[in-house]
Amino acid sequence: MPVSDLSHAAQDYLKLIWNATEWSSTPITVSVMAERLGVRPSTASDGIKKLAKQGLVTHAPYGSIELTAEGREHAVAMVRRHRLLETFLVQVLGYGWDEVHDEAEILEHAVSDFLIARIDDHLGHPTRDPHGDPIPSADGKPHLPQGILLSDAGPESEVVITRISDDDPEMLRYFTELGLAPDVRLTVRERRPYTDVTTIRRQGSDHDADLGPVAAAAIWVVAG
Amino acid sequence: MPVSDLSHAAQDYLKLIWNATEWSSTPITVSVMAERLGVRPSTASDGIKKLAKQGLVTHAPYGSIELTAEGREHAVAMVRRHRLLETFLVQVLGYGWDEVHDEAEILEHAVSDFLIARIDDHLGHPTRDPHGDPIPSADGKPHLPQGILLSDAGPESEVVITRISDDDPEMLRYFTELGLAPDVRLTVRERRPYTDVTTIRRQGSDHDADLGPVAAAAIWVVAG
DNA sequence: GCGGAATGTTAGACTTGCCTAACAATTAAG
DNA sequence: CTTAATTGTTAGGCAAGTCTAACATTCCGC
Ligand SMILES: [Mn+2]
Ligand SMILES: [Mn+2]
Ligand SMILES: [Mn+2]
Ligand SMILES: [Mn+2]
């Protein structure tokens, strides 16, 4: 069964479960899902039960939520759609990287596999979206995200940004002002333990910038 | 209220009513609507009743179906979306003109006004879609379709194709083979009354082609 | 103008996705 | 270890959109 046969809701549920485990190993819970999806916990609980009945997730009452192989396939297909659409909107239609997430969140349910293939061709088979997230390939190949949170990077380390969470458009605009984006190189100058401020300097910049804990936890980096 | 606040169904109903009166003056009926929408007459009847309750159409039981000013506004907005999307898919993503209708039929409900504006900009504010249908402008200005059915054109007349119905992808592929498309100039050679065959010659072509009544009724032309 | 055919409407049911309210289970604090 | 807070589930309801079956109206041929 193709992913497009699932309801919009089911598509979003699966994608969310998958996303939750991409950059973090803490398992997803019903209440977190409800909050992310903007529905009540009872709704999310119900939805998960239905997915379990369809064999797309495993879940016993009060138990953990895990994708089955089939559920994961569909989830990856949705992630691919989402990220290709974001990339297309930025590269072809001149969207800002802070404007694409909500649009893609809707479009991902409406596009055909044919259209996704055309977009992929037109873009030359990109491997990362505007926020640095890896784009799964058409065959659903596992892709290997890497990097650690900037807030976990040691002081005086030289790092390259690999990924910035697209959860909060406001924050993305702030990062634009600071010149922070995927592939930007920076030096972690200092981490003040109690105030939890991370001081960084962008390569080529002549001054430091301070990031609060929320901002520093939205940026992933690799040593570089 | 923006058109995007209406349900998908309401959007399609309004668009269909508007489309039905664009190139023909015979009023739309419940059964025709049901057939075009792929639902049962009872469903269409119900849907129309709901639209009437919202003030988007006027309709008394067993009476005629007419758009109100507000309903027409929404309908035109949907037609604009549909035709801009078709144009975009052909010009930017290399779709064939026979492939765009079904895709646009879905996408039209998912795109934001912002995305439509971007597409319009990117295309340079096109005025006709790939089938020759006029694209309503952003302010919902009435646009003026013109032309008569090729099946109504007199023999030995020189005409230019203005529009080809996109209802049937199969027929569009046939027209592609014959080299028939909007803006193509042709001569009507003969109309055989009983068999209802229209013989045409494309300008620059060295042979005639015969069109059956269905094909000739899918093409609109103006004297040229 | 009548009567049957075609067309349109209503009634009742089902599905999906959402809600609130009440309840159950788990977890965390003391 | 016990209890209180948190988290998750169930029950019951609602709205939208679809269906089938039964019924009403209109149209058309004679
Ligand atoms: Mn979505
Ligand atoms: Mn992204
Ligand atoms: Mn079309
Ligand atoms: Mn549609």
Side-chain angles (χ1 to χ4, degrees), chain A residues 22-24 36 83 97 128-134 146-153 159-176 178 180-183 186 191 196 198 200 210-222:
Chain A
E22 184 180 18
W23 296 93
S24 131
R36 297 293 221 85
R83 294 182 183 172
W97 70 336
R128 291 163 78 206
D129 83 3
H131 315 102
D133 283 305
Q146 47 185 354
I148 58 169
L149 280 180
L150 175 56
S151 51
D152 293 335
V159 298
V160 175
I161 296 176
T162 54
R163 184 216 178 205
I164 298 187
S165 163
D166 63 357
D167 277 352
D168 182 353
E170 182 73 38
M171 194 178 289
L172 288 178
R173 285 188 285 276
Y174 176 58
F175 289 149
T176 303
L178 294 180
L180 301 182
D183 297 329
L186 45 84
R191 308 209 55 245
D196 219 353
T198 304
I200 58 165
D210 286 338
L211 297 179
V214 177
I219 299 178
W220 277 252
V221 298
V222 290

Short mmCIF file of all heavy atoms in Angstrom, two decimals, chain A residues 22-24 36 83 97 128-134 146-153 159-176 178 180-183 186 191 196 198 200 210-222:
data_model
loop_
_atom_site.label_atom_id
_atom_site.label_comp_id
_atom_site.label_asym_id
_atom_site.label_seq_id
_atom_site.Cartn_x
_atom_site.Cartn_y
_atom_site.Cartn_z
N GLU A 22 14.89 10.52 15.37
CA GLU A 22 16.00 10.76 14.45
C GLU A 22 17.19 11.40 15.16
O GLU A 22 18.33 11.04 14.92
CB GLU A 22 15.55 11.66 13.29
CG GLU A 22 16.65 11.86 12.25
CD GLU A 22 16.20 12.74 11.09
OE1 GLU A 22 15.19 13.47 11.27
OE2 GLU A 22 16.87 12.72 10.05
N TRP A 23 16.93 12.39 15.98
CA TRP A 23 18.03 13.12 16.60
C TRP A 23 18.07 12.93 18.12
O TRP A 23 18.79 13.63 18.81
CB TRP A 23 17.91 14.61 16.31
CG TRP A 23 18.04 14.93 14.86
CD1 TRP A 23 17.04 15.06 13.96
CD2 TRP A 23 19.25 15.14 14.13
NE1 TRP A 23 17.53 15.34 12.72
CE2 TRP A 23 18.89 15.40 12.79
CE3 TRP A 23 20.62 15.14 14.47
CZ2 TRP A 23 19.84 15.66 11.80
CZ3 TRP A 23 21.54 15.39 13.48
CH2 TRP A 23 21.15 15.64 12.17
N SER A 24 17.26 12.03 18.60
CA SER A 24 17.24 11.84 20.05
C SER A 24 16.85 10.41 20.33
O SER A 24 16.16 9.78 19.53
CB SER A 24 16.24 12.81 20.69
OG SER A 24 15.38 12.16 21.57
N ARG A 36 2.75 18.08 19.99
CA ARG A 36 3.34 18.39 18.69
C ARG A 36 2.30 18.44 17.58
O ARG A 36 2.43 19.19 16.62
CB ARG A 36 4.40 17.35 18.32
CG ARG A 36 5.58 17.28 19.24
CD ARG A 36 6.44 18.54 19.18
NE ARG A 36 7.85 18.21 19.20
CZ ARG A 36 8.57 17.88 18.12
NH1 ARG A 36 8.03 17.87 16.92
NH2 ARG A 36 9.85 17.59 18.24
N ARG A 83 10.89 17.09 3.18
CA ARG A 83 12.19 17.76 3.02
C ARG A 83 12.45 18.16 1.57
O ARG A 83 13.05 19.20 1.30
CB ARG A 83 13.29 16.87 3.59
CG ARG A 83 13.13 16.73 5.10
CD ARG A 83 14.18 15.91 5.80
NE ARG A 83 13.84 15.81 7.23
CZ ARG A 83 14.46 15.04 8.10
NH1 ARG A 83 15.48 14.28 7.71
NH2 ARG A 83 14.08 15.03 9.37
N TRP A 97 14.03 30.17 4.69
CA TRP A 97 14.08 28.87 5.37
C TRP A 97 13.16 28.85 6.59
O TRP A 97 12.85 27.78 7.11
CB TRP A 97 15.51 28.49 5.74
CG TRP A 97 16.14 29.30 6.84
CD1 TRP A 97 15.82 30.58 7.21
CD2 TRP A 97 17.20 28.89 7.70
NE1 TRP A 97 16.61 30.99 8.25
CE2 TRP A 97 17.47 29.99 8.57
CE3 TRP A 97 17.95 27.73 7.83
CZ2 TRP A 97 18.46 29.93 9.55
CZ3 TRP A 97 18.93 27.69 8.81
CH2 TRP A 97 19.18 28.78 9.65
N ARG A 128 20.27 17.17 1.37
CA ARG A 128 19.92 17.83 2.62
C ARG A 128 18.90 18.94 2.35
O ARG A 128 18.92 19.58 1.31
CB ARG A 128 21.16 18.46 3.27
CG ARG A 128 22.13 17.40 3.78
CD ARG A 128 23.51 18.01 4.01
NE ARG A 128 23.58 18.77 5.25
CZ ARG A 128 24.44 19.77 5.45
NH1 ARG A 128 25.27 20.14 4.49
NH2 ARG A 128 24.47 20.39 6.60
N ASP A 129 18.03 19.17 3.33
CA ASP A 129 17.03 20.21 3.18
C ASP A 129 17.60 21.55 3.68
O ASP A 129 18.76 21.61 4.08
CB ASP A 129 15.72 19.80 3.86
CG ASP A 129 15.68 20.07 5.36
OD1 ASP A 129 16.65 20.64 5.93
OD2 ASP A 129 14.67 19.71 5.99
N PRO A 130 16.82 22.64 3.62
CA PRO A 130 17.39 23.96 3.96
C PRO A 130 17.86 24.06 5.41
O PRO A 130 18.61 24.98 5.74
CB PRO A 130 16.22 24.92 3.72
CG PRO A 130 15.30 24.20 2.81
CD PRO A 130 15.44 22.76 3.12
N HIS A 131 17.44 23.15 6.24
CA HIS A 131 17.87 23.19 7.64
C HIS A 131 18.98 22.20 7.93
O HIS A 131 19.38 22.04 9.08
CB HIS A 131 16.66 22.91 8.55
CG HIS A 131 15.44 23.67 8.14
ND1 HIS A 131 14.41 23.09 7.45
CD2 HIS A 131 15.11 24.98 8.27
CE1 HIS A 131 13.49 24.00 7.19
NE2 HIS A 131 13.88 25.16 7.66
N GLY A 132 19.46 21.54 6.88
CA GLY A 132 20.54 20.59 7.05
C GLY A 132 20.07 19.17 7.29
O GLY A 132 20.89 18.26 7.42
N ASP A 133 18.77 18.96 7.36
CA ASP A 133 18.28 17.60 7.60
C ASP A 133 18.47 16.74 6.36
O ASP A 133 18.18 17.17 5.24
CB ASP A 133 16.78 17.64 7.95
CG ASP A 133 16.55 18.09 9.38
OD1 ASP A 133 17.12 17.45 10.27
OD2 ASP A 133 15.82 19.07 9.58
N PRO A 134 18.94 15.52 6.55
CA PRO A 134 19.17 14.64 5.40
C PRO A 134 17.85 14.24 4.73
O PRO A 134 16.86 13.99 5.41
CB PRO A 134 19.87 13.43 6.00
CG PRO A 134 19.67 13.50 7.46
CD PRO A 134 19.33 14.92 7.81
N GLN A 146 24.22 12.85 11.73
CA GLN A 146 25.33 12.84 12.68
C GLN A 146 25.45 14.21 13.30
O GLN A 146 24.81 15.17 12.88
CB GLN A 146 26.64 12.46 11.99
CG GLN A 146 26.86 13.20 10.70
CD GLN A 146 28.10 12.69 9.98
OE1 GLN A 146 28.84 11.87 10.51
NE2 GLN A 146 28.32 13.20 8.79
N GLY A 147 26.27 14.29 14.33
CA GLY A 147 26.43 15.56 15.00
C GLY A 147 25.97 15.50 16.43
O GLY A 147 25.28 14.58 16.85
N ILE A 148 26.41 16.47 17.18
CA ILE A 148 26.02 16.60 18.58
C ILE A 148 25.40 17.97 18.75
O ILE A 148 25.55 18.85 17.89
CB ILE A 148 27.22 16.46 19.53
CG1 ILE A 148 28.27 17.53 19.18
CG2 ILE A 148 27.82 15.06 19.44
CD1 ILE A 148 29.36 17.65 20.21
N LEU A 149 24.67 18.14 19.83
CA LEU A 149 24.08 19.44 20.10
C LEU A 149 25.17 20.46 20.38
O LEU A 149 26.15 20.16 21.06
CB LEU A 149 23.16 19.35 21.33
CG LEU A 149 21.78 18.78 21.07
CD1 LEU A 149 20.98 18.76 22.36
CD2 LEU A 149 21.07 19.61 20.01
N LEU A 150 24.99 21.64 19.86
CA LEU A 150 25.94 22.72 20.14
C LEU A 150 26.05 22.93 21.65
O LEU A 150 27.13 23.23 22.18
CB LEU A 150 25.47 24.00 19.45
CG LEU A 150 26.29 25.27 19.73
CD1 LEU A 150 27.76 25.06 19.38
CD2 LEU A 150 25.72 26.44 18.94
N SER A 151 24.93 22.73 22.33
CA SER A 151 24.97 22.93 23.79
C SER A 151 25.79 21.85 24.49
O SER A 151 26.12 21.99 25.66
CB SER A 151 23.53 22.95 24.35
OG SER A 151 22.82 21.83 23.91
N ASP A 152 26.14 20.79 23.77
CA ASP A 152 26.98 19.75 24.36
C ASP A 152 28.44 19.83 23.89
O ASP A 152 29.27 19.02 24.31
CB ASP A 152 26.44 18.36 24.02
CG ASP A 152 25.09 18.10 24.68
OD1 ASP A 152 24.82 18.73 25.72
OD2 ASP A 152 24.32 17.28 24.15
N ALA A 153 28.72 20.76 22.99
CA ALA A 153 30.08 20.86 22.45
C ALA A 153 31.00 21.49 23.49
O ALA A 153 30.62 22.44 24.19
CB ALA A 153 30.08 21.69 21.17
N VAL A 159 33.84 23.80 15.23
CA VAL A 159 32.77 22.92 14.74
C VAL A 159 32.13 23.49 13.46
O VAL A 159 32.30 24.65 13.14
CB VAL A 159 31.67 22.74 15.80
CG1 VAL A 159 32.23 22.07 17.05
CG2 VAL A 159 31.03 24.08 16.16
N VAL A 160 31.40 22.61 12.78
CA VAL A 160 30.63 23.02 11.61
C VAL A 160 29.16 22.67 11.88
O VAL A 160 28.87 21.57 12.36
CB VAL A 160 31.11 22.29 10.34
CG1 VAL A 160 30.23 22.64 9.15
CG2 VAL A 160 32.56 22.64 10.06
N ILE A 161 28.30 23.60 11.58
CA ILE A 161 26.87 23.35 11.79
C ILE A 161 26.38 22.34 10.75
O ILE A 161 26.64 22.49 9.56
CB ILE A 161 26.06 24.65 11.66
CG1 ILE A 161 26.45 25.64 12.76
CG2 ILE A 161 24.56 24.36 11.70
CD1 ILE A 161 25.75 26.99 12.65
N THR A 162 25.71 21.29 11.23
CA THR A 162 25.15 20.33 10.27
C THR A 162 23.65 20.46 10.17
O THR A 162 23.05 20.09 9.16
CB THR A 162 25.45 18.87 10.68
OG1 THR A 162 24.99 18.68 12.02
CG2 THR A 162 26.93 18.60 10.62
N ARG A 163 23.03 20.96 11.22
CA ARG A 163 21.58 20.94 11.24
C ARG A 163 21.04 21.96 12.22
O ARG A 163 21.61 22.16 13.29
CB ARG A 163 21.12 19.56 11.69
CG ARG A 163 19.63 19.43 11.64
CD ARG A 163 19.07 18.60 12.74
NE ARG A 163 17.61 18.62 12.57
CZ ARG A 163 16.75 18.43 13.54
NH1 ARG A 163 17.17 18.19 14.75
NH2 ARG A 163 15.46 18.51 13.31
N ILE A 164 19.97 22.64 11.82
CA ILE A 164 19.28 23.55 12.72
C ILE A 164 17.81 23.17 12.72
O ILE A 164 17.20 23.04 11.66
CB ILE A 164 19.47 25.01 12.26
CG1 ILE A 164 20.97 25.36 12.30
CG2 ILE A 164 18.66 25.95 13.12
CD1 ILE A 164 21.27 26.82 12.02
N SER A 165 17.26 22.97 13.90
CA SER A 165 15.86 22.55 13.98
C SER A 165 14.94 23.60 13.36
O SER A 165 15.10 24.80 13.60
CB SER A 165 15.49 22.34 15.44
OG SER A 165 14.08 22.31 15.57
N ASP A 166 13.97 23.13 12.59
CA ASP A 166 13.06 24.09 11.95
C ASP A 166 11.75 24.24 12.73
O ASP A 166 10.77 24.74 12.20
CB ASP A 166 12.78 23.68 10.50
CG ASP A 166 12.06 22.35 10.41
OD1 ASP A 166 11.83 21.72 11.44
OD2 ASP A 166 11.73 21.94 9.28
N ASP A 167 11.78 23.86 13.99
CA ASP A 167 10.57 23.93 14.80
C ASP A 167 10.02 25.34 14.95
O ASP A 167 8.82 25.56 14.94
CB ASP A 167 10.83 23.37 16.21
CG ASP A 167 10.72 21.86 16.23
OD1 ASP A 167 10.31 21.29 15.21
OD2 ASP A 167 11.07 21.27 17.28
N ASP A 168 10.93 26.29 15.13
CA ASP A 168 10.50 27.64 15.50
C ASP A 168 10.98 28.67 14.47
O ASP A 168 12.15 29.04 14.45
CB ASP A 168 11.07 27.95 16.89
CG ASP A 168 10.63 29.33 17.37
OD1 ASP A 168 10.01 30.08 16.60
OD2 ASP A 168 10.95 29.65 18.54
N PRO A 169 10.07 29.13 13.61
CA PRO A 169 10.43 30.09 12.56
C PRO A 169 11.08 31.35 13.13
O PRO A 169 12.03 31.89 12.55
CB PRO A 169 9.09 30.43 11.92
CG PRO A 169 8.19 29.30 12.22
CD PRO A 169 8.63 28.78 13.56
N GLU A 170 10.58 31.80 14.25
CA GLU A 170 11.13 32.98 14.93
C GLU A 170 12.63 32.79 15.18
O GLU A 170 13.45 33.67 14.90
CB GLU A 170 10.39 33.17 16.25
CG GLU A 170 10.82 34.37 17.06
CD GLU A 170 10.30 35.64 16.43
OE1 GLU A 170 9.15 35.63 15.91
OE2 GLU A 170 11.05 36.63 16.42
N MET A 171 12.96 31.62 15.71
CA MET A 171 14.36 31.35 16.01
C MET A 171 15.19 31.29 14.73
O MET A 171 16.33 31.76 14.69
CB MET A 171 14.48 30.05 16.80
CG MET A 171 15.85 29.88 17.43
SD MET A 171 15.96 28.37 18.40
CE MET A 171 14.92 28.79 19.77
N LEU A 172 14.60 30.75 13.68
CA LEU A 172 15.33 30.69 12.41
C LEU A 172 15.66 32.10 11.91
O LEU A 172 16.75 32.35 11.38
CB LEU A 172 14.51 29.94 11.36
CG LEU A 172 14.40 28.42 11.56
CD1 LEU A 172 13.54 27.80 10.48
CD2 LEU A 172 15.79 27.79 11.55
N ARG A 173 14.72 33.02 12.09
CA ARG A 173 15.01 34.40 11.66
C ARG A 173 16.14 35.00 12.50
O ARG A 173 16.98 35.75 11.99
CB ARG A 173 13.73 35.24 11.76
CG ARG A 173 12.75 34.92 10.63
CD ARG A 173 11.58 35.88 10.60
NE ARG A 173 10.62 35.64 11.65
CZ ARG A 173 9.63 34.74 11.59
NH1 ARG A 173 9.50 33.98 10.53
NH2 ARG A 173 8.78 34.61 12.59
N TYR A 174 16.16 34.64 13.77
CA TYR A 174 17.24 35.12 14.64
C TYR A 174 18.58 34.56 14.17
O TYR A 174 19.58 35.29 14.06
CB TYR A 174 16.94 34.70 16.08
CG TYR A 174 18.00 35.04 17.07
CD1 TYR A 174 18.43 36.36 17.26
CD2 TYR A 174 18.60 34.05 17.82
CE1 TYR A 174 19.41 36.67 18.17
CE2 TYR A 174 19.59 34.35 18.75
CZ TYR A 174 19.99 35.66 18.91
OH TYR A 174 20.98 35.96 19.83
N PHE A 175 18.58 33.28 13.83
CA PHE A 175 19.82 32.67 13.35
C PHE A 175 20.27 33.30 12.03
O PHE A 175 21.46 33.43 11.76
CB PHE A 175 19.63 31.15 13.17
CG PHE A 175 19.52 30.40 14.47
CD1 PHE A 175 18.75 29.24 14.55
CD2 PHE A 175 20.17 30.84 15.62
CE1 PHE A 175 18.64 28.54 15.74
CE2 PHE A 175 20.07 30.14 16.82
CZ PHE A 175 19.30 28.99 16.88
N THR A 176 19.31 33.69 11.22
CA THR A 176 19.66 34.36 9.96
C THR A 176 20.42 35.64 10.25
O THR A 176 21.45 35.93 9.63
CB THR A 176 18.38 34.69 9.15
OG1 THR A 176 17.66 33.49 8.93
CG2 THR A 176 18.74 35.33 7.82
N LEU A 178 22.21 36.29 12.81
CA LEU A 178 23.54 35.96 13.33
C LEU A 178 24.42 35.31 12.25
O LEU A 178 25.60 35.06 12.50
CB LEU A 178 23.42 34.99 14.51
CG LEU A 178 22.77 35.53 15.79
CD1 LEU A 178 22.74 34.43 16.86
CD2 LEU A 178 23.53 36.75 16.31
N LEU A 180 23.95 32.29 11.12
CA LEU A 180 24.11 30.86 11.40
C LEU A 180 23.23 30.04 10.45
O LEU A 180 22.05 30.32 10.29
CB LEU A 180 23.72 30.56 12.85
CG LEU A 180 24.53 31.32 13.90
CD1 LEU A 180 24.09 30.90 15.30
CD2 LEU A 180 26.02 31.08 13.71
N ALA A 181 23.83 29.05 9.83
CA ALA A 181 23.12 28.21 8.87
C ALA A 181 23.91 26.92 8.71
O ALA A 181 25.06 26.84 9.15
CB ALA A 181 23.01 28.92 7.53
N PRO A 182 23.34 25.90 8.11
CA PRO A 182 24.10 24.68 7.87
C PRO A 182 25.40 24.98 7.12
O PRO A 182 25.42 25.86 6.25
CB PRO A 182 23.15 23.82 7.02
CG PRO A 182 21.80 24.25 7.46
CD PRO A 182 21.93 25.72 7.72
N ASP A 183 26.45 24.27 7.48
CA ASP A 183 27.77 24.38 6.86
C ASP A 183 28.56 25.60 7.32
O ASP A 183 29.70 25.78 6.87
CB ASP A 183 27.68 24.37 5.32
CG ASP A 183 27.12 23.05 4.82
OD1 ASP A 183 27.35 22.03 5.49
OD2 ASP A 183 26.44 23.04 3.78
N LEU A 186 32.18 27.48 13.07
CA LEU A 186 32.30 28.40 14.20
C LEU A 186 33.14 27.82 15.33
O LEU A 186 33.43 26.62 15.34
CB LEU A 186 30.92 28.83 14.71
CG LEU A 186 29.82 27.79 14.88
CD1 LEU A 186 29.98 27.12 16.24
CD2 LEU A 186 28.47 28.49 14.82
N ARG A 191 31.44 28.16 27.72
CA ARG A 191 30.13 27.73 28.19
C ARG A 191 30.02 28.07 29.66
O ARG A 191 30.77 27.54 30.47
CB ARG A 191 29.93 26.23 27.98
CG ARG A 191 30.25 25.82 26.55
CD ARG A 191 29.44 24.60 26.15
NE ARG A 191 28.04 24.86 26.35
CZ ARG A 191 27.27 24.21 27.23
NH1 ARG A 191 27.80 23.28 27.98
NH2 ARG A 191 25.99 24.52 27.36
N ASP A 196 24.06 28.97 31.71
CA ASP A 196 23.81 28.12 30.57
C ASP A 196 23.86 28.90 29.24
O ASP A 196 23.04 28.69 28.35
CB ASP A 196 22.44 27.43 30.71
CG ASP A 196 22.52 25.99 30.21
OD1 ASP A 196 23.57 25.61 29.66
OD2 ASP A 196 21.54 25.27 30.38
N THR A 198 26.02 29.83 25.85
CA THR A 198 27.12 29.35 25.02
C THR A 198 27.62 30.52 24.17
O THR A 198 26.85 31.13 23.44
CB THR A 198 26.64 28.22 24.08
OG1 THR A 198 26.08 27.18 24.88
CG2 THR A 198 27.79 27.68 23.27
N ILE A 200 29.81 31.85 21.12
CA ILE A 200 30.41 31.32 19.90
C ILE A 200 30.97 32.47 19.07
O ILE A 200 30.64 33.64 19.28
CB ILE A 200 29.35 30.59 19.04
CG1 ILE A 200 28.21 31.55 18.70
CG2 ILE A 200 28.84 29.36 19.75
CD1 ILE A 200 27.32 31.07 17.60
N ASP A 210 26.28 35.35 21.98
CA ASP A 210 25.85 34.48 23.08
C ASP A 210 24.55 33.80 22.71
O ASP A 210 23.61 34.45 22.25
CB ASP A 210 25.63 35.31 24.35
CG ASP A 210 26.94 35.73 24.97
OD1 ASP A 210 27.97 35.07 24.69
OD2 ASP A 210 26.95 36.73 25.72
N LEU A 211 24.49 32.52 22.94
CA LEU A 211 23.24 31.78 22.69
C LEU A 211 22.71 31.24 24.00
O LEU A 211 23.45 30.67 24.80
CB LEU A 211 23.49 30.61 21.74
CG LEU A 211 23.97 30.97 20.33
CD1 LEU A 211 24.20 29.69 19.53
CD2 LEU A 211 22.95 31.86 19.63
N GLY A 212 21.42 31.40 24.22
CA GLY A 212 20.78 30.81 25.38
C GLY A 212 20.63 29.31 25.20
O GLY A 212 20.92 28.79 24.12
N PRO A 213 20.18 28.64 26.22
CA PRO A 213 20.11 27.18 26.17
C PRO A 213 19.16 26.66 25.09
O PRO A 213 19.43 25.64 24.46
CB PRO A 213 19.62 26.79 27.57
CG PRO A 213 19.05 28.04 28.17
CD PRO A 213 19.74 29.19 27.51
N VAL A 214 18.05 27.35 24.87
CA VAL A 214 17.10 26.87 23.86
C VAL A 214 17.72 26.97 22.46
O VAL A 214 17.65 26.04 21.66
CB VAL A 214 15.79 27.68 23.91
CG1 VAL A 214 14.85 27.22 22.80
CG2 VAL A 214 15.12 27.53 25.27
N ALA A 215 18.37 28.10 22.20
CA ALA A 215 19.00 28.28 20.89
C ALA A 215 20.12 27.25 20.69
O ALA A 215 20.23 26.63 19.62
CB ALA A 215 19.53 29.70 20.75
N ALA A 216 20.92 27.07 21.71
CA ALA A 216 22.06 26.15 21.57
C ALA A 216 21.59 24.70 21.42
O ALA A 216 22.32 23.86 20.90
CB ALA A 216 23.01 26.29 22.77
N ALA A 217 20.36 24.43 21.87
CA ALA A 217 19.84 23.07 21.75
C ALA A 217 19.09 22.88 20.44
O ALA A 217 18.49 21.84 20.19
CB ALA A 217 18.94 22.74 22.94
N ALA A 218 19.08 23.92 19.59
CA ALA A 218 18.42 23.81 18.29
C ALA A 218 19.45 23.62 17.18
O ALA A 218 19.09 23.49 16.01
CB ALA A 218 17.57 25.05 18.01
N ILE A 219 20.73 23.63 17.55
CA ILE A 219 21.80 23.55 16.56
C ILE A 219 22.64 22.30 16.80
O ILE A 219 23.07 22.04 17.92
CB ILE A 219 22.70 24.81 16.65
CG1 ILE A 219 21.87 26.07 16.36
CG2 ILE A 219 23.88 24.71 15.70
CD1 ILE A 219 22.66 27.37 16.46
N TRP A 220 22.83 21.54 15.73
CA TRP A 220 23.69 20.36 15.80
C TRP A 220 25.00 20.65 15.06
O TRP A 220 24.99 21.33 14.02
CB TRP A 220 23.02 19.16 15.13
CG TRP A 220 22.04 18.42 16.00
CD1 TRP A 220 22.23 17.18 16.56
CD2 TRP A 220 20.74 18.84 16.40
NE1 TRP A 220 21.10 16.82 17.29
CE2 TRP A 220 20.18 17.80 17.21
CE3 TRP A 220 19.97 19.99 16.18
CZ2 TRP A 220 18.92 17.89 17.78
CZ3 TRP A 220 18.71 20.08 16.75
CH2 TRP A 220 18.20 19.04 17.54
N VAL A 221 26.08 20.14 15.58
CA VAL A 221 27.38 20.43 14.97
C VAL A 221 28.23 19.15 14.91
O VAL A 221 27.97 18.18 15.63
CB VAL A 221 28.16 21.48 15.79
CG1 VAL A 221 27.40 22.81 15.81
CG2 VAL A 221 28.41 20.99 17.21
N VAL A 222 29.22 19.20 14.03
CA VAL A 222 30.24 18.15 14.05
C VAL A 222 31.59 18.83 14.19
O VAL A 222 31.75 20.00 13.83
CB VAL A 222 30.26 17.30 12.75
CG1 VAL A 222 29.01 16.44 12.68
CG2 VAL A 222 30.38 18.19 11.53
#
